[in-house]
Amino acid sequence: MSAEEISRLRLEIAELNAACNDKEKRLRELENTTSVIDKLSNDDIARYSRQLILPNFGVRGQLKLKQSSFLIVGMGGLGCPASLYLASAGCGRLGLLDYDEVECSNFHRQILHTESRVGKSKVSSAYEALKAINSHCQIDMLGVLLNSGNASEIIQSYDIVLDCSDNVPTRYLLNDTCVALGKPLISGSALQLDGQLTVYNYGEAGVCYRCLFPMPPPPKAVTNCGDGGVLGAVTGVIGSLQALEAIKVALNGTGGMEVLSKRLLIFDGASCSFRCVSLRGRRKDCSACSNVPLIPNNLDYEKFCGMQASDKDYALKLLMPMQRVSVEEYKDLIGKPHLLWDVRQPAEFEICKLPNSENVPLKTILDDSFVERFKEQLQDKTLPIFVLCRRGNDSQIAAQHMINKFPKHNIRDISGGLHAWHYKIDPNFPIY
């Protein structure tokens, strides 16, 4: 071997040693940088001690939570307790997504918001409350309305997604995006005294929302808590259980903790009972999770579902303009002979009502015995009948049904309902 070759080999060895030294130095830097999330501090040990001593949780479980990120979509009745327990449990990063602002009607179930924060965005209100409980949790505020244009970009940076929304378009959007990105989805819902919970897209055999509901229900068949009501404690139960399932998913169901996948938990608040039903398996022809997905990237979910993702301006469009009257037009007709039927539930009618209105609930109008029960009032075909509800949705359903049944009668609904009456006619009239 020549002296030149020996010199070249020595140079190469020196360069390799230098590279190794650089890599060892970089490794030590990374180890020091990541020590914050790879180790528990004294504060962590004191703060989370009650769950650290759990045999199936321990230090490993706490570290896993510290390294996990969760996105909560909807900071309402479900999102508030879910985020509260995730932040309290020591999750590393929490994303709060909601477009709405805090208002008085939120307080009975949305437990993070306070009277002093009315008018603030819900994400900033929740941020304040959660940071006061756990200042170590990284919290992202996402004050936007989720849509097909921003969903992928937002969701891809989180490990686990919680659907705490209250509308069908968002449920389909979250499902389709989570399936495309391979993210587990903890889905909860609560209405009146009932609640449901399941985990979608978890594991190789986990079903998705579209496996169970390939197509959305008719818009007039959908009721949210704004229209149907809900007891606040019921949202607390379901939201807390969503946090529990999210923690179990983050820990990958270790230590005998079984994730609620391919099963649906049903809560009956009236009898305070739970039951769990098995869900059908994954559909081979599912348009979202099959081998050949059919969901376009730019799908308009509001158009697909026939309803809006926001409940602020949500309005059915079932009647033609001549079949409706504005509250201003109705006010001018008050002194003339007519019938005013309020189709809200009796409990709502008891809260507030317009003068001379009669409570005829929507269910009564849709019932087969309706014609016989109201035969006398329907005899005069010239007597106008105005149909009224809270926001002008149920009244359209009732008016449409009656127009089809009694085409010779003058039947119209009052557009915008009692909310329109409050904002346009009488600001002292109570709304809820």
Side-chain angles (χ1 to χ4, degrees), residues 267-317:
F267 173 60
D268 181 350
S271 62
C272 203
S273 62
F274 291 88
R275 63 189 180 99
C276 202
V277 297
S278 297
L279 298 176
R280 57 167 296 165
R282 180 179 288 184
R283 293 173 61 103
K284 294 182 180 180
D285 61 345
C286 178
S287 56
C289 68
S290 66
N291 293 330
V292 187
L294 302 173
I295 309 298
N297 293 331
N298 60 346
L299 177 64
D300 186 334
Y301 285 86
E302 292 186 337
K303 186 176 180 180
F304 170 69
C305 297
M307 61 190 83
Q308 293 179 319
S310 164
D311 62 357
K312 290 302 176 184
D313 301 310
Y314 171 66
L316 292 176
K317 296 179 180 179

Side-chain angles (χ1 to χ4, degrees), residues 27-316:
L27 178 60
R28 286 192 296 271
E29 290 175 353
L30 288 173
E31 287 175 343
N32 292 333
T33 302
T34 59
S35 62
V36 175
I37 63 171
D38 287 345
K39 295 179 182 179
L40 296 181
S41 66
N42 288 346
D43 180 78
D44 289 335
I45 292 171
R47 181 185 291 263
Y48 310 119
S49 59
R50 296 304 185 272
Q51 60 196 41
L52 282 170
I53 61 177
L54 291 173
N56 296 331
F57 194 88
V59 172
R60 183 177 298 179
Q62 193 63 56
L63 286 172
K64 186 64 178 175
L65 266 187
K66 198 173 183 179
Q67 297 161 356
S68 299
S69 58
F70 305 82
L71 175 65
I72 299 182
V73 180
M75 291 309 301
L78 300 176
C80 282
S83 61
L84 177 63
Y85 277 105
L86 284 174
S88 300
C91 70
R93 179 169 165 242
L94 197 58
L96 312 178
L97 190 149
D98 201 305
Y99 66 92
D100 205 359
E101 296 178 346
V102 178
E103 56 186 48
C104 178
S105 64
N106 302 149
F107 297 143
H108 97 287
R109 66 195 183 282
Q110 301 180 18
I111 55 175
L112 293 181
H113 309 310
T114 62
E115 293 178 359
S116 64
R117 296 201 283 268
V118 169
K120 266 194 169 187
S121 69
K122 286 186 178 180
V123 292
S124 63
S125 172
Y127 177 91
E128 288 185 38
L130 295 173
K131 275 294 187 180
I133 293 168
N134 190 347
S135 60
H136 303 297
C137 180
Q138 178 185 336
I139 300 177
D140 307 329
M141 293 187 290
L142 305 167
V144 298
L145 182 66
L146 199 70
N147 56 52
S148 56
N150 61 21
S152 292
E153 183 180 357
I154 292 172
I155 292 173
Q156 65 184 353
S157 65
Y158 294 90
D159 301 318
I160 299 164
V161 180
L162 285 76
D163 181 1
C164 301
S165 64
D166 188 24
N167 64 83
V168 177
T170 302
R171 291 196 183 280
Y172 277 97
L173 171 60
L174 283 175
N175 175 81
D176 297 348
T177 309
C178 285
V179 169
L181 297 175
K183 308 288 185 180
L185 176 64
I186 291 80
S187 177
S189 64
L191 182 66
Q192 298 179 346
L193 294 175
D194 302 318
Q196 294 185 353
L197 174 72
T198 191
V199 178
Y200 293 119
N201 200 42
Y202 177 77
E204 293 184 2
V207 300
C208 80
Y209 186 66
R210 280 190 187 263
C211 288
L212 306 177
F213 307 103
M215 296 298 294
K220 64 182 181 181
V222 177
T223 303
N224 60 29
C225 67
D227 294 324
V230 66
L231 195 63
V234 174
T235 65
V237 170
I238 301 301
S240 299
L241 288 173
Q242 283 185 273
L244 172 62
E245 288 304 311
I247 291 171
K248 287 157 63 176
V249 169
L251 272 58
N252 202 26
T254 57
M257 292 187 285
E258 186 178 353
V259 174
L260 191 66
S261 176
K262 295 182 289 185
R263 295 177 295 144
L264 177 68
L265 183 70
I266 300 172
F267 173 60
D268 181 350
S271 62
C272 203
S273 62
F274 291 88
R275 63 189 180 99
C276 202
V277 297
S278 297
L279 298 176
R280 57 167 296 165
R282 180 179 288 184
R283 293 173 61 103
K284 294 182 180 180
D285 61 345
C286 178
S287 56
C289 68
S290 66
N291 293 330
V292 187
L294 302 173
I295 309 298
N297 293 331
N298 60 346
L299 177 64
D300 186 334
Y301 285 86
E302 292 186 337
K303 186 176 180 180
F304 170 69
C305 297
M307 61 190 83
Q308 293 179 319
S310 164
D311 62 357
K312 290 302 176 184
D313 301 310
Y314 171 66
L316 292 176

